[in-house]
Amino acid sequence: MSSSRPRDTRWRTPARWPLRARLIAEQVVLLSLVCVIIGVVTGFALRDFLVQRLDQQLTQTAGRTGFGPMMDGGGQRPGPSDLLDDHPLDNPGFGPGTLFSRVRNSQLKADRVNSSGVSETISDEAALAVLSAVPQDRKPRTVELGALGSYRVVAVPTPNGAAVTGLPLSEVNSTVLRMGLILGGVALGGLITVGLAGALIIRRTLEPLERVAATAGRVAELPLHEGEVALAERVPAADATPDTEVGQVGLALNRMLGHVGDALSARHASETRVRQFVADASHELRTPLAAIRGYAELTRRSRDSVSPEIAHAMGRVESEAVRMTSLVEDLLLLARLDAGRPLELGEVDLSRLVVDSVSDARIAGREHDWRLALPPEAVTVRGDADRVRQVLANLLSNARTHTPPGTTVTTMLNPGRAGWVDLVVADDGPGIPEALLPEVFERFARGDSSRSRAAGSTGLGLSIVAAVVSAHGGAVRVDSRPGATRFTVSLPAG
Ligand SMILES: Nc1ncnc2c1ncn2[C@@H]1O[C@H](COP(=O)(O)OP(=O)(O)OP(=O)(O)O)[C@@H](O)[C@H]1O
Ligand SMILES: [Mg+2]
């Protein structure tokens, strides 16, 4: 089974790491670099120094064997007999590991003082071969003698071949290694301490920045796009001082929030004014419209006595007055819903309301096939009966006016998610144009099909549906493709 959690790719690019992690990592990397440089330089310097000291010892030791690099005459030492010179290491005073080789009877013979201070003959052929190849230039140099390890040797020429004296480098090597280990241990301890202490310090240093970010985050969560917004969020005063960089950010953010708050208040005031104006204008238009309708109706009775043109004109005046009245009513309702006017909430028998509304629609649209799918028991919702009726009327009128005759329109009541009821109006008409679909709930959004135009549509029907449903705390959505359009309204169950 594979994990479905998306992998966190942030850590692949250091540039996208959190600031805290980056600072700690940079600190630790820099310090490691410094430690490595110190370690390498110190190691080489110490080794150089120790090798120099060993070379001094080597010169002295070689002198004591009778074949010191400073001596002249092929290393021949006046005094002690040649016999003794063949095995100088048998003399006391040579430390363990000291090595001496010389050609005797045209064969290279080498001795070495063992750990107990006794001189032994070296039989390792490879070591002997290396010793015989040491340049006879009286200069100390390092050679690898196989199992005997690294040696610092000096060779001086003698009439019958070179005499080589050597001291082991093992002590120098182990001293350098030991120093390396100590330095490594100290560096590791230092790095861990710097990492932990750095994490703590950086965390504390970044705390004000986190508080500023938290304030910005809280503001981002606020619903700033509509209504009256109380933008009281501010960066705490302690984090908004001009003395620190973060404080400057906090200060700037607070100033910006102040401006945004003012702008939002101004926007809200202007929205309220426009809303009030629309509500007032709609309200004021109702009376003259009622008068126009009344007079038009009055003239209908005496239309026989006027010319057909005038009768037709009066008929148009009446029908347009009716249309304008419904537009004005829609605008007034939207303005009131926008203003947050409370609904008259109660228990609404939705089943009954659906049956009534579909019956009305059947009368209005006789050429459509109206169907109902209701659960056997009555479904109730908590809402404003008149407004819910309007939602249903708008959806059914759309299904009638924006689809051709013969279209089947099915109204259903389904149980929604827990505590909700889904009211569905579905039809098998041509569907909502794809370009219109994303904004179908916007005000004055309408298709420009000839049917819509003929129906005298204004494009307010669905925006009223959306506003009423959201005032109920519910949601409306639409799925539409040719042959299947489905509006689903979710309302809180009663
Ligand atoms: N059932 C439907 N089938 C096809 N198109 C639809 C349907 N319902 C809505 N529409 C499209 O969505 C547009 C917007 O609908 P809305 O109800 O908001 O406005 P309207 O019906 O044009 O005008 P009004 O309802 O204000 O008289 C319509 O013009 C129409 O193009
Ligand atoms: Mg409509």
Side-chain angles (χ1 to χ4, degrees):
M1 215 172 74
S2 70
S3 150
S4 60
R5 227 160 62 116
R7 206 172 307 154
D8 192 353
T9 53
R10 170 173 63 149
W11 294 98
R12 281 194 209 149
T13 17
R16 288 178 56 210
W17 288 8
L19 187 57
R20 194 185 302 163
R22 257 177 69 187
L23 286 175
I24 295 171
E26 281 164 6
Q27 232 181 29
V28 169
V29 167
L30 273 180
L31 197 68
S32 316
L33 214 70
V34 170
C35 288
V36 168
I37 292 171
I38 290 177
V40 169
V41 171
T42 316
F44 275 109
L46 180 68
R47 198 187 145 83
D48 260 13
F49 172 72
L50 292 177
V51 168
Q52 258 177 40
R53 284 227 339 233
L54 191 70
D55 286 351
Q56 285 169 8
Q57 281 175 29
L58 182 64
T59 309
Q60 286 169 12
T61 308
R64 271 194 276 130
T65 61
F67 295 91
M70 305 307 208
M71 293 177 176
D72 260 347
Q76 300 300 49
R77 188 178 63 162
S81 74
D82 263 3
L83 205 72
L84 249 182
D85 284 345
D86 280 346
H87 295 284
L89 300 188
D90 291 343
N91 295 327
F94 291 103
T98 310
L99 174 149
F100 178 76
S101 78
R102 196 185 163 192
V103 177
R104 268 180 274 127
N105 304 331
S106 53
Q107 252 198 332
L108 186 75
K109 300 281 180 202
D111 299 322
R112 176 174 168 269
V113 179
N114 70 9
S115 52
S116 334
V118 180
S119 161
E120 287 175 341
T121 306
I122 296 171
S123 52
D124 185 344
E125 289 296 330
L128 291 176
V130 172
L131 286 173
S132 67
V134 176
Q136 303 164 18
D137 54 5
R138 301 165 187 266
K139 283 189 187 130
R141 51 179 23 89
T142 302
V143 291
E144 292 300 326
L145 296 181
L148 299 178
S150 300
Y151 262 79
R152 200 69 184 159
V153 295
V154 63
V156 294
T158 66
N160 50 355
V164 182
T165 313
L167 284 176
L169 270 167
S170 53
E171 218 158 290
V172 171
N173 286 344
S174 67
T175 308
V176 173
L177 185 71
R178 210 177 147 75
M179 189 229 56
L181 287 178
I182 292 171
L183 214 67
V186 171
L188 196 70
L191 283 176
I192 292 173
T193 314
V194 165
L196 293 179
L200 215 73
I201 293 167
I202 288 169
R203 175 186 289 267
R204 294 200 57 180
T205 314
L206 290 184
E207 257 168 20
L209 192 60
E210 275 167 15
R211 285 196 291 270
V212 172
T215 305
R218 281 197 300 277
V219 172
E221 297 290 308
L222 291 176
L224 300 179
H225 60 286
E226 62 181 3
E228 189 169 11
V229 182
L231 195 54
E233 286 292 348
R234 290 289 183 278
V235 175
D239 297 327
T241 53
D243 314 330
T244 62
E245 287 81 352
V246 176
Q248 285 165 15
V249 175
L251 209 59
L253 188 66
N254 277 355
R255 218 173 296 144
M256 192 184 83
L257 286 176
H259 292 324
V260 171
D262 291 347
L264 289 177
S265 303
R267 186 201 67 183
H268 180 63
S270 119
E271 267 176 9
T272 313
R273 268 198 306 277
V274 170
R275 220 173 270 149
Q276 193 58 45
F277 171 74
V278 174
D280 291 348
S282 310
H283 190 75
E284 290 304 320
L285 280 170
R286 278 167 137 186
T287 320
L289 275 172
I292 294 172
R293 268 200 340 264
Y295 281 115
E297 213 177 305
L298 201 67
T299 57
R300 202 191 307 151
R301 294 189 199 138
S302 48
R303 268 179 209 167
D304 296 341
S305 57
V306 294
S307 67
E309 286 86 37
I310 294 193
H312 173 74
M314 289 320 289
R316 292 288 299 136
V317 167
E318 192 180 352
S319 69
E320 288 301 301
V322 169
R323 195 162 99 80
M324 203 164 162
T325 307
S326 99
L327 174 62
V328 162
E329 292 296 338
D330 283 356
L331 284 175
L332 187 59
L333 174 61
L334 275 174
R336 285 179 175 165
L337 286 170
D338 283 351
R341 183 184 268 216
L343 300 167
E344 284 173 24
L345 286 180
E347 193 154 295
V348 181
D349 184 346
L350 196 56
S351 303
R352 197 184 164 72
L353 216 138
V354 167
V355 172
D356 289 351
S357 302
V358 173
S359 305
D360 293 350
R362 199 169 276 137
I363 305 291
R366 290 183 180 282
E367 290 165 321
H368 284 66
D369 182 3
W370 300 94
R371 295 189 186 172
L372 269 174
L374 301 181
E377 69 281 3
V379 176
T380 56
V381 290
R382 193 167 163 65
D384 184 326
D386 287 342
R387 300 284 152 262
V388 176
R389 189 192 311 267
Q390 188 156 9
V391 164
L392 200 48
N394 285 4
L395 292 178
L396 291 172
S397 115
N398 277 354
R400 176 169 51 82
T401 48
H402 303 301
T403 59
T407 304
T408 305
V409 184
T410 313
T411 309
M412 294 169 263
L413 283 182
N414 299 332
R417 57 197 160 96
W420 293 80
V421 173
D422 281 355
L423 162 67
V424 179
V425 176
D427 66 69
D428 60 358
I432 299 169
E434 210 171 304
L436 179 65
L437 201 54
E439 57 194 36
V440 77
F441 292 106
E442 301 290 324
R443 284 160 201 194
F444 297 109
R446 58 183 166 167
D448 60 354
S449 72
S450 55
R451 285 190 64 78
S452 301
R453 278 198 300 275
S457 72
T458 56
L460 284 180
L462 287 178
S463 57
I464 288 179
V465 169
V468 169
V469 171
S470 98
H472 280 83
V476 57
R477 61 168 203 279
V478 58
D479 304 297
S480 181
R481 56 192 158 81
T485 299
R486 188 184 172 93
F487 285 92
T488 309
V489 173
S490 298
L491 291 169

